[in-house]
Amino acid sequence: MRRVCLTLPTHRSCAATIAAVAEEAAYGAREFGVEVALLILDSSPAQVLAEHREAVAALPPYPGVSVHHLDEDEQRGFLRKVAGRSAAPDPDRLLELLLPSRISYGAVTDRAFLLAESLGCASLHRRDSDSRYQHHGGEPVFPIHQELTHLGRRAADLKGSATRSKLPPRSEERRVALVGGSFVGEMSVDVARIREADPETYRELVGLSLPEGYPEIWRGHLIDASFRGAGDTAFDGDRTVLAPVSPTRVDMCNVALDHEVYRRVPLPPATDTIGTDYFLLGLAHDARLPGVEHNRHIVNFHTAERRTDAGFLAYQLRFARFLLAKAYLNAVHARTKEAGDDLLDGEGLLRTSVVTEYVRDSLARDPEEDAHRLGTIEAAYRRLGGRYAEVADALAARRAPLLAEVRYGMADFAFLLENWQALTRACSDAGLSVTR
């Protein structure tokens, strides 16, 4: 029987979300006749972790659903075992990259990829703790419906059922590698107040996330669309687009990937940096892998923690790191976009070595360009004043280590890429499993 992994990474209190995602798992098992491994990767503090243990214990038994709730100690034990079995060099470094002491959106999803491999899952479906489901006709709108309908199927077989089809040449025989939707509600990145306070500074900061070379009219359009998801569009019936999916059209709280994608290429394990977990979405698009974009959008909200002084500063610094990292990631995507079909081998699968080469080459970037970019970011925050001036002060105080960490983050990504397939094989070969 086909087994899939529905994963919820969290480091905050989210008992209600755990219950809701468990209902989605039950829906997937019931409606599609699959086994669903609900994987909760929990980095919460002790008190919150205990609350989550109680929430998991209170879940009713759902036919076809197994629940796997792992705290960081349990995750570390699994990773240490896999790293040892992989025979990869420097297993301690790999362990640190995959389970760092600081927040990493990419690393937690990489851990989910490896655990999904160990559980024999055909795909991974990711949700987030700061989101909830829309309702339509009194029922929750579960994205897993579209994910299980399309993922892994031959694109040519779906042309007749999709609302629209925009498949590029030579891709019809490939299988759907990615299915995703977006979100409604608050912006995915906490920059709405910047846009309201100073639209020009907002355009300057968000513009740093975009690749160079776009005509100004297109840059303006992309800046306006960034981080806004599907706006306030309420679900009123299913619509799908069969095509390589643009990473700007989906959100990581609402995405599913076929295992043939993530067993070959991981996500950047950068710490305290938002947005790097979108790397695989851009790579799948550049490789022209078929995908399905749907309109079962999830509701996004910002937790109260982001509104505190400490939460605000931490999040804005993660955004600044993202703007620095994008200089490297955009250089990689420029290469992958140019490569197109050449990113795939004869079986239509991603070539890990090619991606690794491009990431390594991005390190040739002039460090002075990074320093100039950081100066632009710092000046923008200082112009905004108020709480944002504190962000500028923090950037100025950490200037040298911040620049070094972003650069080292890309070197770490290259190292992880070089050893990723050994890790994924170790998961499969070892037949590891986790149960709770």
Side-chain angles (χ1 to χ4, degrees):
M1 181 182 289
R2 178 185 178 192
R3 182 181 299 148
V4 304
C5 179
L6 177 60
T7 189
L8 175 67
T10 185
H11 64 282
R12 59 170 70 94
S13 180
C14 65
T17 306
I18 289 172
V21 176
E23 289 182 11
E24 183 177 23
Y27 174 91
R30 181 178 66 249
E31 298 297 321
F32 290 88
V34 299
E35 294 180 4
V36 181
L38 173 56
L39 176 64
I40 304 165
L41 298 181
D42 207 331
S43 297
S44 303
Q47 182 177 346
V48 175
L49 177 63
E51 294 171 1
H52 291 169
R53 297 282 192 214
E54 293 179 2
V56 169
L59 293 174
Y62 295 116
V65 176
S66 59
V67 183
H68 312 271
H69 181 201
L70 280 74
D71 62 25
E72 285 206 347
D73 286 342
E74 291 166 316
Q75 295 173 51
R76 185 174 294 105
F78 166 79
L79 293 171
R80 184 174 288 114
K81 195 170 186 179
V82 169
R85 288 178 179 268
S86 72
D90 204 346
D92 289 340
R93 182 182 178 189
L94 287 172
L95 183 61
E96 174 60 28
L97 293 180
L98 290 167
L99 189 55
S101 57
R102 299 188 297 182
I103 288 175
S104 172
Y105 300 95
V108 69
T109 310
D110 286 337
R111 299 198 296 275
F113 291 156
L114 293 174
L115 282 155
E117 280 289 288
S118 77
L119 290 165
C121 295
S123 54
L124 181 125
H125 310 245
R126 190 182 127 166
R127 306 293 179 255
D128 279 350
S129 57
D130 55 352
S131 58
R132 54 181 176 263
Y133 301 103
Q134 293 192 72
H135 282 73
H136 180 67
E139 297 294 328
V141 180
F142 290 133
I144 202 168
H145 178 92
Q146 294 291 10
E147 294 167 351
L148 294 179
T149 295
H150 298 105
L151 204 59
R153 294 183 59 188
R154 197 172 66 108
D157 296 336
L158 299 172
K159 289 183 68 175
S161 59
T163 308
R164 286 192 295 155
S165 177
K166 299 188 292 184
L167 290 172
R170 297 184 294 172
S171 67
E172 291 189 359
E173 294 304 311
R174 296 172 186 160
R175 299 190 179 276
V176 171
L178 183 154
V179 178
S182 191
F183 65 90
V184 295
E186 297 182 272
M187 294 178 73
S188 62
V189 174
D190 200 0
V191 291
R193 286 181 173 81
I194 298 177
R195 186 181 60 185
E196 294 165 2
D198 189 337
E200 285 307 309
T201 297
Y202 174 83
R203 288 175 60 84
E204 181 179 29
L205 282 171
V206 175
L208 290 172
S209 71
L210 303 178
E212 298 177 359
Y214 279 110
E216 190 55 36
I217 188 170
W218 278 104
R219 285 185 66 82
H221 172 73
L222 290 169
I223 290 170
D224 289 341
S226 293
F227 313 127
R228 299 186 69 177
D232 297 319
T233 307
F235 180 81
D236 59 359
D238 284 306
R239 288 182 291 279
T240 55
V241 180
L242 177 64
V245 177
S246 168
T248 63
R249 301 285 298 175
V250 300
D251 192 84
M252 283 301 290
C253 71
N254 189 358
V255 71
L257 289 162
D258 186 83
H259 72 142
E260 294 290 8
V261 175
Y262 59 75
R263 68 165 40 165
R264 284 170 175 77
V265 178
L267 294 170
T271 56
D272 292 327
T273 308
I274 68 165
T276 51
D277 48 345
Y278 284 75
F279 180 83
L280 268 182
L281 308 190
L283 185 62
H285 178 269
D286 294 343
R288 304 189 184 105
L289 291 173
V292 171
E293 177 189 334
H294 63 78
N295 65 326
R296 290 185 169 235
H297 306 312
I298 280 177
V299 182
N300 182 65
F301 64 90
H302 292 168
T303 59
E305 185 270 340
R306 278 202 202 178
R307 309 304 188 196
T308 65
D309 288 341
F312 170 83
L313 178 61
Y315 193 85
Q316 295 301 322
L317 290 175
R318 290 173 200 156
F319 179 57
R321 283 175 177 270
F322 162 73
L323 296 178
L324 291 170
K326 281 292 280 185
Y328 292 89
L329 294 171
N330 285 343
V332 175
H333 280 303
R335 300 278 301 277
T336 57
K337 182 178 180 180
E338 183 181 5
D341 290 334
D342 289 339
L343 289 169
L344 306 176
D345 62 19
E347 298 180 7
L349 304 175
L350 289 169
R351 298 166 62 196
T352 313
S353 60
V354 174
V355 181
T356 306
E357 176 189 346
Y358 295 165
V359 171
R360 282 271 180 223
D361 289 349
S362 75
L363 293 168
R365 177 178 170 81
D366 185 349
E368 286 301 314
E369 295 180 25
D370 293 342
H372 176 75
R373 175 174 282 243
L374 179 55
T376 300
I377 298 168
E378 180 190 334
Y381 273 105
R382 205 167 294 287
R383 281 199 308 275
L384 290 167
R387 304 172 86 190
Y388 295 100
E390 298 176 18
V391 181
D393 290 342
L395 292 173
R398 306 176 192 180
R399 187 176 184 84
L402 181 59
L403 290 170
E405 287 172 11
V406 171
R407 190 175 191 85
Y408 293 153
M410 288 303 289
D412 286 337
F413 185 30
F415 178 74
L416 184 60
L417 274 160
E418 289 167 347
N419 294 285
W420 184 249
Q421 287 188 285
L423 290 170
T424 57
R425 282 194 299 269
C427 291
S428 303
D429 295 345
L432 297 174
S433 64
V434 288
T435 57
R436 190 163 193 85

